[in-house]
Amino acid sequence: MAGFYRGIFVVGVLLIILSGVIVLGDSDNVSARMPTQVVPRRYARYPFGAGTALTLLALVGLVFT
């Protein structure tokens, strides 16, 4: 069962890293000046939220099993 939680932990950390890459990719704020472009920072919160939830779930699972 610990392997399952380790896998969830890895996926969660990768999602958090992905959200950081999305935010850093738009650090020059080019997309904010384009009226038809959705700001990528708004989309970065979804992988960050999922990654945080999975990481917390994995840590709780690893501690209590």
Side-chain angles (χ1 to χ4, degrees):
M1 193 65 154
F4 174 72
Y5 289 117
R6 285 187 191 127
I8 289 177
F9 181 77
V10 169
V11 170
V13 169
L14 287 175
L15 285 171
I16 292 172
I17 291 170
L18 173 68
S19 68
V21 168
I22 291 171
V23 169
L24 287 177
D26 189 44
S27 62
D28 56 355
N29 235 3
V30 171
S31 62
R33 290 179 265 156
M34 298 178 181
T36 58
Q37 183 78 2
V38 176
V39 181
R41 292 173 190 256
R42 292 180 63 193
Y43 287 124
R45 64 182 160 194
Y46 300 117
F48 181 76
T52 303
L54 287 175
T55 303
L56 288 175
L57 176 71
L59 290 175
V60 168
L62 285 170
V63 169
F64 291 112
T65 57

